[in-house]
């Protein structure tokens, strides 16, 4: 298997820059997800790594070797697409073994490799089935098998589960991660679906308009978003933002607005006292009669064990994840208290997270 590294990778189409200078390393055997909204440059980055697109600038390194100008077929990397382009006239074994046949491998060896691949994917019982008769999930397994059978150095997957329905996607996520743990293949997985990225990846790069906003573990990205974009993109419902006109300097521990003073984590960076945004995840909010932030309940969405209660406050609408057993009435006046050690502060002008005592340096940048 292989380490994949990209250095200052950039791609422009005429005047338009699809990928700004990107830098990241995917260690050997790691599962790396590129996550972001449609059009943010995920596929273009992946195609440059695969050798299907020439970068405008920068380098792609495979195990430390510069492969930037090496053609796709000579990179020994497998690409798995959303659209599983299988050969309908062949059975499953024929489809999986096809790349080896093209390489001129002997029949007996092809047979062994196909059997081994099918065993890993747990589809041995389907080997003689026609692919046109398979379910979407099984077709995706066959497509994966065709990529795996060559034993490539790494897998690049571009929204491979996008064509499946939601329930099946979830099942395939755990299967893909399980498969990854068994074969330990370096994998880069592109998706716009945060649940896919969060449930499978060791490391996630969150992209926005051609730029990488943050690289970190799923937990770092969720708990310590480096920017308001990341905080808003990850989480359902996303992080709440409360805007404060008054700024904070290094060492300060509370923020005041109108007649409200709120304890916040100590600011650990030198900064001009501009407006700031206080970020709080819905599960870090409680109802409390004595809480200083007050508002009226706008709605309540029942989700089984929890409910999402939305409250209109002077700082905007806030969503709180509360136990379903708690009774709340629409229009009721409530107080909201926040777990101050979980608050994230952002600079309102740049949208970047401010370094604070609760999170230190890790995860920012
Ligand atoms: P999606 O999930 O919708 O595929 P993405 O994050 O993968 O989105 P890309 O496909 O990498 O995004 O596209 C990034 C931007 O580059 C888009 O605005 C797209 O229109 C543009 N782009 C991609 N390929 C080309 C091309 N060959 N010529 C011109 N513009 C392109």
């Amino acid at each position: 298997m292989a380490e994949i590294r990209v250095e200052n990778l950039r791609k422009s189409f005429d005047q338009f820059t699809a990928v700004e200078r990107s830098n990241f390393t995917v260690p050997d055997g790691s599962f790396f997800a590129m996550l972001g909204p449609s059009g943010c440059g995920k596929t273009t980055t992946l195609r440059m790594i695969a050798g299907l697109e020439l970068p405008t600038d920068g380098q792609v390194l495979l195990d430390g070797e510069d492969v930037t100008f090496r053609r796709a077929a000579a990179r020994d990397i497998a690409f798995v697409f959303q659209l599983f382009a299988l050969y309908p006239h062949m059975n499953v074994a024929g489809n999986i073994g096809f790349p080896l046949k093209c390489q001129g491998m002997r029949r007996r060896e092809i047979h062994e490799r196909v059997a081994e691949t099918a065993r890993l994917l747990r589809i041995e019982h389907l080997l003689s089935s026609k692919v046109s008769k398979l379910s979407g999930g099984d077709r995706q397994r066959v497509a994966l098998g065709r990529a795996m059978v060559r034993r490539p150095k790494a897998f690049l997957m571009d929204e491979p589960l996008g064509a499946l329905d939601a329930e099946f996607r979830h099942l395939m996520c755990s299967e893909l991660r399980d498969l990854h743990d068994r074969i330990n293949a370096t994998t880069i997985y592109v998706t716009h679906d945060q649940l896919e990225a969060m449930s499978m990846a060791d490391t996630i790069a969150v992209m926005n308009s051609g730029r990488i906003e943050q690289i970190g573990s799923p937990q770092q990205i969720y708990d310590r978003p480096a920017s308001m974009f990341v905080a808003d993109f990850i989480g359902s419902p996303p992080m709440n933002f409360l805007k404060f006109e008054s700024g904070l300097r290094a060492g300060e521990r509370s923020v005041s607005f109108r007649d409200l003073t709120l304890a916040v984590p100590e600011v650990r960076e030198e900064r001009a006292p501009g407006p700031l945004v206080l970020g709080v995840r819905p599960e870090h909010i409680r109802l409390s009669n004595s809480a200083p932030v007050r508002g009226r309940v706008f709605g309540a969405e029942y989700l089984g064990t929890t409910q999402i209660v939305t409250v209109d406050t002077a700082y905007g609408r806030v969503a709180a994840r509360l136990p379903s057993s708690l009774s709340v009435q629409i229009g009721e006046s409530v107080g909201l208290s926040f777990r101050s050690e979980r608050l994230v502060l952002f600079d309102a002008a740049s949208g970047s997270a401010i370094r604070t005592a609760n999170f230190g340096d890790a995860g920012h940048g």
Side-chain angles (χ1 to χ4, degrees), residues 225-228 231 239 241 275-279 344-348 351-354:
S227 65
M228 289 175 69
M239 185 175 266
F241 297 132
L276 61 85
V277 172
L278 204 136
V344 185
L345 303 184
F346 300 96
D347 180 272
S352 300
I354 297 169

Side-chain angles (χ1 to χ4, degrees), residues 13 16 18 36-45 53 158-159 190 192:
F13 297 105
F16 175 72
S38 182
C40 70
K42 307 178 296 289
T43 297
T44 306
T45 306
E53 196 83 67
D158 193 358
E159 306 255 8
V190 157
H192 64 273

Side-chain angles (χ1 to χ4, degrees), residues 306-345:
T306 61
Q307 58 181 329
I308 303 298
V309 177
T310 42
V311 179
D312 284 332
T313 75
Y315 315 95
R317 186 165 288 169
V318 171
R321 187 183 292 277
L322 302 170
S324 296
S325 51
L326 201 76
S327 162
V328 285
Q329 306 298 323
I330 308 294
E332 181 184 351
S333 168
V334 292
L336 302 175
S337 71
F338 308 135
R339 278 180 63 186
S340 59
E341 78 279 11
R342 304 307 300 264
L343 294 176
V344 185
L345 303 184

